Amino acid sequence: METPLPVLGIIVPCYNEKDIIADSIVKLLELIRQFTGSGIIDGKSFLAVVDDRSRDNSWDIIREMSSRHRELKAIRLAANRGHQYALLAGLLEYSEVTDCLISVDADLQDDIGVIAKMIEKFRQGNDIVFGVRNKRKPDAAFKRATAYGFYRLMNLFGVNVLHNHADFRLTSRRINVELKEFSEVNLFLRGIFPFMGFNTAVVYYDRRERLGGKSKYPFRRMVSLALDGITSFSTVPLRFITFIGFLVFIICLFLMGYALWAYLTHRTIAGWFSTVLPFYFLGGVQILCIGILGEYLGKIYKEVKRRPRFTVDERI
Ligand code: UDP
Ligand code: MG
């Protein structure tokens, strides 16, 4: 007996993409029809656009197209929440009615030509298939450099992210269902999926030019995404304070020794010793104490996330 074909959902977050959304929808629908035609995916597969409360007429375009195309579904968020949350909304909304979901940006900068490969890897038993870009030619040098810095910084702080993987990926039903358990408010999907584990695979592709419109990730938002990523996966910055505190404390011990020596050998003016000693002492103790507070804060922070502590992959 043949294994049943997977029902695929393609999730597209969309914010103010009036110039390109119709084009992208047409291209993706074509792809889905081609796959159902060639018997790779089930006929119930569909495309789902998540409108992140666009302020242009993107939503009207989407709604109009959905009346003409059976395979097009859409949801609209009540307010603009940003890329990560739009993605989350789509993944959770359609997790139970599909066998796998693929998320891809509306500008189709990520090569949808590798989607067939993603499905193949999924059918070989991988629960997550990461799209990773080979080179970033079409992006300006500045964007490339900041993107590189972004991944380096994340790794430096011990956040497990895949180099050059954005949010172009396939996730299986159980991953999407499991995602519900990650109830954190500060969402960093690029960190959550590698954190989950399971069998994963990678497909490589070349990044293209945006179809049209402008990037919604200016430098400011990249920095904010990096900070979100670090602070929602790592307590290294807090531990760093403890380290600094300890260092300062040791240095202050030496300085106190010096002050005492200078005092005893009468190399000081009156009042110097009694002023400078508590100064050194308190400085060291204070930073050390902040560091200790930070350690506990880090623990509380991890507890309040209520992340699943483990996930079972297989049972025999
Ligand atoms: N996007 C979104 N909400 C936002 C900003 C962006 O849903 O607040 C969508 C956008 O429509 C696109 C994707 O997120 O489909 C990625 O945005 P963009 O292409 O501007 O980012 P870049 O590729 O430049 O990093
Ligand atoms: Mg883009």
Side-chain angles (χ1 to χ4, degrees):
M1 203 190 89
E2 290 251 326
T3 46
L5 294 174
V7 177
L8 166 75
I10 299 182
I11 307 281
V12 177
C14 165
Y15 180 61
N16 295 349
E17 304 280 16
K18 68 171 169 42
D19 297 335
I20 54 168
I21 191 68
D23 238 27
S24 301
I25 289 175
V26 168
K27 287 206 172 88
L28 288 166
L29 285 176
E30 240 168 55
L31 201 70
I32 288 176
R33 283 174 194 147
Q34 186 193 321
F35 290 160
T36 43
S38 54
I40 304 176
I41 54 172
D42 190 279
K44 290 197 288 292
S45 300
F46 58 87
L47 170 66
V49 181
V50 181
D51 179 44
D52 192 11
R53 204 74 187 188
S54 297
R55 277 179 294 172
D56 60 7
N57 62 345
S58 298
W59 181 243
D60 300 325
I61 299 172
I62 297 162
R63 195 167 37 194
E64 190 276 321
M65 291 184 83
S66 72
S67 66
R68 286 187 286 124
H69 301 280
R70 183 183 56 82
E71 306 94 329
L72 177 60
K73 296 174 191 268
I75 52 174
R76 184 180 203 201
L77 300 190
N80 178 244
R81 286 282 186 263
H83 182 213
Q84 297 285 297
Y85 297 90
L87 273 178
L88 180 75
L91 293 172
L92 295 185
E93 177 79 15
Y94 301 106
S95 61
E96 314 246 351
V97 295
T98 50
D99 295 305
C100 57
L101 289 170
I102 291 177
S103 53
V104 60
D105 288 350
D107 55 14
L108 301 190
Q109 280 192 286
D110 305 311
D111 182 12
I112 58 172
V114 300
I115 287 182
K117 252 193 258 170
M118 286 182 155
I119 298 169
E120 194 188 313
K121 300 247 179 196
F122 165 69
R123 296 186 72 185
Q124 288 165 0
N126 292 293
D127 280 286
I128 310 175
V129 185
F130 296 101
V132 172
R133 49 201 168 216
N134 281 325
K135 25 183 158 91
R136 309 188 56 126
K137 271 233 187 72
D139 287 326
F142 179 70
K143 172 104 189 173
R144 260 185 311 187
T146 49
Y148 180 74
F150 174 85
Y151 294 107
R152 282 306 306 266
L153 195 69
M154 304 295 293
N155 287 327
L156 199 71
F157 280 99
V159 185
N160 184 8
V161 287
L162 233 76
H163 192 70
N164 270 345
H165 162 68
D167 286 294
F168 182 34
R169 74 177 86 76
L170 177 149
T171 45
S172 71
R173 185 195 196 107
R174 54 179 175 173
I175 294 286
N176 299 323
V177 169
E178 176 74 9
L179 190 61
K180 286 199 180 72
E181 304 299 322
F182 288 73
S183 50
E184 56 214 71
V185 175
N186 285 300
L187 190 70
F188 187 65
L189 291 174
R190 289 177 210 181
I192 286 179
F193 291 113
F195 176 86
M196 276 187 183
F198 288 97
N199 289 338
T200 61
V202 169
V203 296
Y204 293 94
Y205 65 94
D206 293 333
R207 186 155 159 103
R208 304 182 177 181
E209 300 275 6
R210 222 174 194 283
L211 283 180
K214 278 201 301 271
S215 167
K216 275 107 206 148
Y217 265 107
F219 183 62
R220 182 175 52 81
R221 286 188 76 156
M222 287 260 291
V223 171
S224 132
L225 185 68
L227 285 178
D228 272 354
I230 291 162
T231 52
S232 62
F233 270 90
S234 159
T235 47
V236 171
L238 288 174
R239 180 140 298 169
F240 189 65
I241 301 177
T242 315
F243 174 72
I244 295 276
F246 188 68
L247 212 68
V248 171
F249 185 68
I250 297 292
I251 292 170
C252 286
L253 280 183
F254 279 108
L255 288 173
M256 281 161 70
Y258 163 75
L260 186 68
W261 170 79
Y263 173 68
L264 291 177
T265 52
H266 306 289
R267 287 162 206 259
T268 64
I269 52 168
W272 181 82
F273 180 65
S274 55
T275 310
V276 104
L277 189 83
F279 183 79
Y280 288 146
F281 180 72
L282 287 176
V285 166
Q286 266 172 2
I287 301 184
L288 190 62
C289 288
I290 295 174
I292 293 169
L293 285 180
E295 288 292 315
Y296 284 95
L297 191 71
K299 298 280 181 299
I300 293 170
Y301 156 90
K302 283 186 177 157
E303 291 293 334
V304 296
K305 274 195 190 301
R306 301 225 147 270
R307 268 185 195 160
R309 281 166 298 179
F310 58 85
T311 313
V312 176
D313 181 2
E314 282 178 56
R315 281 199 175 83
I316 300 177

